Amino acid sequence: MELIAFYIFAAIITVSAMAVIAARNPVHSVLWLILCFFTAAGLFVLIGAEFLAMLLIVVYVGAVAVLFLFVVMMLDVDFVELKQGTLEYWPFAGLVGLAFIAEIAIASFARGPGARDVFNPAPGADTNAEAIGAVMYTDYVLLFQLAGLILLVAMIGAIVLTLRHRPEVKRQNIARQTARRRADATTKVSVEPGKGL
Amino acid sequence: MSGLIEQNGLLGGWLMVIGQMLLFTVVLLLSLAFLLLMDRKVWAAVMMRKGPNVVGPFGLLQSFADFGKFLLKEIIIPSGANKTVFLLAPILTLTLAFAAWAAIPVAPGWVISDLNVGILYLFAVSSLGVYGIIMGGWASNSKYPFLGSLRSAAQMVSYEVSIGLIIITVILLAGSMNLSDIVNNQGGGFWTWHMLSFNHLLLFPVMLAMFVMFFVSALAETNRPPFDLPEAESELVAGYQVEYSSTPYLLFMIGEYLNIVLMCAMMAILFLGGWHGPVPLGADFVNQFPAWMVNLGHLAWFMAKIVFFFFLFALTKAVVPRYRYDQLMRLGWKIFLPTALVAVVVVGGYVVYSGVQA
């Protein structure tokens, strides 16, 4: 049962990953990528790592891929021009792919055939989430914090690079706006007939 | 689900699971028909109109008449549209809206799948809901739907952040991500509900604020007024739905309303004690009855809470004017996010130092 599910998910991942590259329309590429992420989460569920699966969906599918989709939809790319010269990159891409396959092969051979049977998704705890939390906030707390700091620096860097102060733009001061009363903005004038102000 | 298969054998277990799903689907769709009517009735009552009152007594059958109308109309697909994605978008919205209900416990033990990470599952599925809208807006190949979908994507992603942080405060308080555990943590009467949390008196103001923020974020997350900018009819005609007609539109609408009901259910579970009644009296008397009757009583409480929140949603739609887009973003990022972050720190500190959780 589990095996059947695994092969179904694996087949979907492989096909959708290929379709990411093969799709002519970049928006379709991103949609295939989302399917790929989603099925990968399914694989996580299969090995009992449901916490990681949910995080994968929340972070990658729910946030990162939305931003991808945003960017790709907004771009006005000439697809024909983009497709030209793709062939030149194939040797390089093939090399990278080969390196990936070799690494995975080495890793799985080094672990040996029985590795899957001794796999425990939640070592030393009831649930997946507890197991991860117990390790992440004790032994690896410095590394964890460091990773967060790096992300923060990257975010601030991006904001600093793109922030422009434009003095000619009129901005609304929310505090002042909400503090405004009718007396501040209007005056009552009784105009005598035939005279005007 | 695996428990059912162990108890009833492979075939029986699968049949039970499929039966539960069918039951959930039918009950949800039926109650949705009347909730839709209630939405329109409340809206009408605020405007001193009568609302739908022609089809059936008090217009009770109005939703079914609408349903028939939607089904019988012609499906129009714009010639420039991306056909596959255009039709996929409403189907995706509806499927995700239903999928989320798999983890909702409606009474003790009455849940399709009692997930360990139930609350994260709900969060994940509701964060996927944005794709239906983006895909629909983009595939329509038209200006207004595209603008609407962009707005809605930005809005939903923004408010998901604050919803996530608010959920974290509840998880910290309950010490579990299992929805049944979260509900049972509030079993001691209304003063232990997370919304009030009188049993942790220090946290009372924090959790009350979290509840209010969750309600507002839920409005924004489901694109309901006053945050319905994605479909602001005065600027964008109807946002991402402009090009949709007939059944695809119906699917979008059912998905949208199911998401609203889901948010109501989440509020009931996270903050209002789920299936528990407000006063835990008469447990001895109640327990004389068979378990399924007791569960029906719990179910009634749960549904009453959902209907109450749906009423609040409908009321908000009727009485609050629409927000401006920059104010919406300001509220999400500059007010809700920092407040929720502070609340997480406060609740976390309280939980650690008072030793609430074992």
Side-chain angles (χ1 to χ4, degrees):
Chain A
M1 187 81 184
E2 216 167 273
L3 211 61
I4 299 172
F6 170 77
Y7 280 117
I8 292 174
F9 284 160
I12 295 176
I13 287 190
T14 322
V15 170
S16 57
M18 300 248 234
V20 172
I21 315 170
R24 283 169 184 272
N25 191 330
V27 174
H28 289 181
S29 283
V30 179
L31 292 177
W32 282 112
L33 185 69
I34 292 163
L35 180 64
C36 191
F37 281 152
F38 194 76
T39 328
L43 282 183
F44 271 124
V45 171
L46 270 189
I47 60 167
E50 69 275 355
F51 181 67
L52 280 185
M54 291 306 141
L55 280 197
L56 186 74
I57 293 182
V58 170
V59 174
Y60 282 93
V61 184
V64 174
V66 173
L67 292 183
F68 279 180
L69 209 54
F70 246 145
V71 173
V72 170
M73 284 193 319
M74 304 288 270
L75 287 180
D76 186 26
V77 200
D78 188 1
F79 304 133
V80 184
E81 196 180 313
L82 210 65
K83 287 282 171 190
Q84 281 170 357
T86 321
L87 274 180
E88 295 168 26
Y89 297 109
W90 271 112
F92 185 66
L95 216 63
V96 173
L98 266 181
F100 269 136
I101 292 177
E103 278 168 13
I104 291 173
I106 291 170
S108 46
F109 278 122
R111 274 175 70 86
R116 193 182 158 273
D117 299 332
V118 296
F119 175 75
N120 179 2
D126 290 341
T127 63
N128 204 232
E130 276 174 47
I132 290 175
V135 183
M136 197 179 264
Y137 289 99
T138 53
D139 297 348
Y140 300 105
V141 65
L142 277 180
L143 291 177
F144 181 60
Q145 298 280 341
L146 202 65
L149 209 65
I150 291 171
L151 284 177
L152 183 71
V153 169
M155 193 173 79
I156 294 176
I159 293 173
V160 168
L161 283 179
T162 51
L163 187 68
R164 286 186 299 160
H165 282 291
R166 286 195 292 182
E168 74 272 17
V169 176
K170 278 189 180 176
R171 283 185 199 288
Q172 190 179 30
N173 185 340
I174 300 282
R176 250 181 65 196
Q177 181 70 31
T178 45
R180 245 159 81 104
R181 292 287 167 267
R182 188 166 63 185
D184 306 333
T186 57
T187 46
K188 193 177 175 190
V189 185
S190 47
V191 184
E192 283 176 44
K195 283 201 169 170
L197 276 175
Chain B
M1 182 174 140
S2 52
L4 276 174
I5 291 175
E6 276 160 28
Q7 281 166 27
N8 305 303
L10 194 61
L11 187 67
W14 275 108
L15 282 180
M16 288 278 282
V17 171
I18 293 170
Q20 284 179 351
M21 289 176 188
L22 272 180
L23 190 71
F24 255 81
T25 313
V26 170
V27 170
L28 274 176
L29 279 179
L30 271 181
S31 36
L32 204 64
F34 294 107
L35 282 173
L36 258 164
L37 181 73
M38 175 181 155
D39 190 31
R40 296 168 70 173
K41 281 280 189 188
V42 170
W43 201 11
V46 172
M47 295 174 171
M48 300 175 86
R49 290 185 287 121
K50 277 186 178 165
N53 64 348
V54 177
V55 191
F58 309 108
L60 275 178
L61 300 177
Q62 178 69 42
S63 296
F64 299 97
D66 286 345
F67 180 73
K69 192 182 78 175
F70 278 129
L71 280 191
L72 293 174
K73 282 195 169 180
E74 183 193 354
I75 300 176
I76 298 166
I77 300 175
S79 57
N82 198 314
K83 210 167 172 181
T84 325
V85 182
F86 185 80
L87 291 178
L88 204 63
I91 297 175
L92 186 80
T93 308
L94 186 82
T95 320
L96 286 173
F98 270 115
W101 283 88
I104 297 274
V106 294
W110 284 10
V111 51
I112 293 179
S113 178
D114 199 14
L115 291 172
N116 270 336
V117 286
I119 186 74
L120 268 185
Y121 172 78
L122 284 188
F123 188 55
V125 172
S126 72
S127 73
L128 289 183
V130 67
Y131 283 113
I133 294 176
I134 302 186
M135 282 161 68
W138 176 79
S140 300
N141 196 13
S142 150
K143 297 280 186 306
Y144 284 144
F146 188 60
L147 283 175
S149 71
L150 285 185
R151 276 186 180 187
S152 127
Q155 173 179 336
M156 287 171 86
V157 169
S158 309
Y159 278 84
E160 244 154 46
V161 181
S162 65
I163 283 194
L165 286 171
I166 294 167
I167 286 177
I168 288 178
T169 62
V170 174
I171 295 176
L172 283 173
L173 213 54
S176 170
M177 286 190 282
N178 184 313
L179 288 171
S180 303
D181 288 350
I182 291 178
V183 172
N184 278 329
N185 190 42
Q186 315 171 57
F190 70 86
W191 50 91
T192 62
W193 289 354
H194 286 153
M195 181 182 108
L196 301 171
S197 61
F198 284 151
N199 49 345
H200 312 297
L201 204 53
L202 271 178
L203 290 185
F204 163 67
V206 179
M207 290 316 284
L208 193 64
M210 287 303 103
F211 169 69
V212 174
M213 278 168 55
F214 192 93
F215 180 71
V216 177
S217 302
L219 287 174
E221 181 77 7
T222 50
N223 295 327
R224 282 285 285 190
F227 305 113
D228 61 339
L229 290 141
E231 45 199 276
E233 66 267 19
S234 49
E235 315 152 27
L236 295 183
V237 193
Y240 61 94
Q241 301 169 337
V242 169
E243 305 290 350
Y244 282 91
S245 57
S246 178
T247 315
Y249 174 78
L250 177 74
L251 296 185
F252 254 136
M253 201 176 67
I254 294 181
E256 206 172 284
Y257 271 87
L258 259 184
N259 272 332
I260 293 168
V261 181
L262 178 78
M263 278 292 169
C264 297
M266 268 173 89
M267 272 187 280
I269 286 174
L270 293 179
F271 290 100
L272 227 62
W275 61 70
H276 289 296
V279 186
L281 279 180
D284 297 331
F285 173 71
V286 168
N287 285 334
Q288 295 167 0
F289 293 100
W292 63 270
M293 281 174 82
V294 181
N295 271 4
L296 273 185
H298 284 307
L299 180 65
W301 270 117
F302 188 56
M303 283 162 100
K305 285 168 187 172
I306 291 182
V307 170
F308 170 69
F309 279 123
F310 194 85
F311 173 73
L312 284 189
F313 267 69
L315 205 61
T316 319
K317 177 183 181 177
V319 298
V320 184
R322 185 176 293 137
Y323 248 54
R324 211 173 60 198
Y325 199 72
D326 62 320
Q327 291 172 336
L328 172 92
M329 282 297 164
R330 176 176 170 272
L331 184 71
W333 288 106
K334 291 189 181 169
I335 299 176
F336 279 8
L337 180 62
T339 318
L341 215 68
V342 171
V344 168
V345 174
V346 170
V347 176
Y350 177 85
V351 168
V352 167
Y353 286 109
S354 70
V356 178
Q357 296 166 20

